[in-house]
Amino acid sequence: MNERTPVIDALCHMILLVGAALVCLPIYFVFVTGSLSQQEIMRVPMSWLPGSQFFANMQTVLSNANFGRLLLNSFIIATGITVGKLAVSVIAAFAVTYFRFPFRMTAFWLIFMSLMLPIEVRIVPTYESAANVALPLNILGSWLGIKALVDLDWNLVNTYSGLILPLIASATATFLFRQFFLTIPDELCEAARIDGATPWQFFRLILLPLSRSNIVALAIILFLMGWNQYLWPLLLTTEPAMANAVIGLKKLMPQSDSLPTWHLLMNAAFLTMLPPTIVILILQRWFVKGLVDSGK
Amino acid sequence: MLARNKAAGLAQAAGGGGPRLRSPLRRLFVKGTSDGQTESGLKRAHFKEWRLPFWLLAPQLFILLLFFFIPSIRALIQAFQLTDPFGATTQWVGFQNFERLFRSNVYWSSAQVTLIFTIAQNVLTLSLALLLAFASNHILRGRGAYRTVLLLPYAIAPAIAGIMLAFLFNPRVGPVAHMLQGMGLDWDPNRNSWHALALVVMAASWKHICYNYIFLVAALMSVPQSILESAYLDGAGPIQRFLRISLPMIAPTLFFLIVINFVYGLFETFAIVDATTRGGPAGATSILVYKVYQDGFVTLDLGSSAAQSVVLMALALLLTFAQFRFVERRVNYSV
């Protein structure tokens, strides 16, 4: 089509520019506020240009609010969720698509059901499960009257495993891999079997290399999700040093009775949103592929 | 967000490689052979071993058992129990928790707030995303740059989006609040409940427009060029083509996004509310998920919190089935 629509073209650019501004301005203001001093933020109207205090504020945030540790925690949690979820998902998907075994459909439906209820609707019991992983054994023990089982206690509060494991318990990734495996030609597996490959060899040498692009796309989304976790770390950490960065921000929110330190909060917010933003900017194409594929 | 995308593989997941069944419910519950030769979702070339798949499935099923199945069942059980705040005694009370819940005015006002919040957020998100998608579909130059910028909110945590807007709209220091005050509006989300609600709606939408946008852009790209070209030859302008051809053709995606936006508004906005308004002022932004948390962890009313969990579970199931229906009719597209 060779259409000339200068008016609509201009209008479209304007819409997109306004949209881009609505996205960028809040982020820009976070940066600007994070670089001002305490006196400067109280001035009305506030400065539209960055001040000179960015690194000084950053130092305060990193040392006084312990943000270095919190950012490290965020990184550990996000990496743990990404690696853990990918690992358990890809092998589970391999099992349900490439093997015939008893209760295959049962296993499939059990995994499938977990897609339906988000963690937000079952927070109290999930918290209880993490506060004592031996809880099911306790209940079993009290039914059967076995004293030794009742007193078992394995607490995951304030541990990395407690912050990571319950968030691995959703099956989205399994289904994405299953979808993908179903599109792989059968001839590949037949050929591998004729060549005498064991199932494990087939998985490692053929299936995994073929899934590489899906794994990368999904890993980006899982990392962002893990980095931005809020509800679960809020519940599961009582020690300030075990929280993640997003929770740390909440603690920096100015309270009504103290000096409002918005400049420190915004500086910390900028530091916290920097890593995921860089991930999206660099790996944008992969990310869009992952998002649209996983929405299919 | 991903967890909710499940909308996701579901349709095909349930149907496997077999023929398409008409009803999503049948798809859910009818299992077994679908194409006569192999079980659904099993590769024609497969292994007939049972020990290896057992070990491959074990990690996932074990984690699901501990942190999904047991908590879900316990939520159901606790909804029918009354536990004192220290967990010392537990009593079976039948439907008492639910009766108490449905008679409580606070709960109904929270439900009302949730309804207003989710609908406002949905309308705002979808209409702006549609506008942006149309614009970026129409222009030829600079598309990639706009898309990159518009994707940024996806990277930013909901809590940070909330904190950011809380700052911009803070009546004492926020630049936007100063502008509003300059226009003569007595803006104060800390005291005015409508202002507080508007603030969380804006934060939730800011964060979610990019997600809608990606799906709409992908859907618009899948509209067949030949149809658009013949409409062009018939003299239809770009806006007419969009309204009369593209919009009806991407209707399945629109429905899918409406459902996804409801899921997002209901379950994933906890962080926004907690970081910006903490449900206040006077419960004006206390949406249902936030109330489950408050009653369960702050006021320690475990029975009520569990009953609320069960109500939310029912809502989640309802929305999952809605997703099936719309995923079912969705067109195929690729970016």
Side-chain angles (χ1 to χ4, degrees), chain A residues 34-82:
Chain A
S35 67
L36 299 176
S37 67
Q38 177 77 59
Q39 293 85 38
E40 281 168 322
I41 58 162
M42 299 307 287
R43 206 172 294 155
V44 179
M46 212 192 75
S47 162
W48 278 66
L49 295 172
S52 57
Q53 299 296 307
F54 187 83
F55 290 101
N57 288 343
M58 193 170 113
Q59 214 146 32
T60 317
V61 164
L62 288 180
S63 59
N64 291 6
N66 201 12
F67 243 73
R69 171 69 194 260
L70 299 187
L71 289 169
L72 178 72
N73 287 348
S74 282
F75 184 76
I76 293 172
I77 294 167
T79 314
I81 290 173
T82 309

Side-chain angles (χ1 to χ4, degrees), chain A residues 152-166:
Chain A
L152 282 179
D153 188 20
W154 181 16
N155 188 344
L156 292 185
V157 174
N158 288 324
T159 63
Y160 289 120
S161 36
L163 285 165
I164 293 168
L165 284 178

Side-chain angles (χ1 to χ4, degrees), chain A residues 174-189:
Chain A
T174 312
F175 281 89
L176 297 184
F177 284 122
R178 177 179 177 274
Q179 288 302 99
F180 174 67
F181 290 165
L182 288 176
T183 65
I184 290 179
D186 278 319
E187 287 73 16
L188 276 176
C189 182

Side-chain angles (χ1 to χ4, degrees), chain B residues 204-251:
Chain B
S205 307
W206 186 84
K207 168 80 186 128
H208 209 52
I209 285 174
C210 62
Y211 184 85
N212 285 230
Y213 170 77
I214 296 168
F215 276 82
L216 290 172
V217 167
L220 284 176
M221 279 165 80
S222 76
V223 175
Q225 274 299 312
S226 51
I227 302 180
L228 294 174
E229 268 166 36
S230 69
Y232 167 66
L233 291 177
D234 288 343
I239 296 175
Q240 212 176 356
R241 288 201 302 270
F242 179 75
L243 293 176
R244 297 275 178 82
I245 298 173
S246 302
L247 212 54
M249 288 197 82
I250 62 168

Side-chain angles (χ1 to χ4, degrees), chain B residues 78 103 146 225 252 277:
Chain B
Q78 281 172 353
R103 269 204 219 110
Y146 287 127
Q225 274 299 312
T277 61

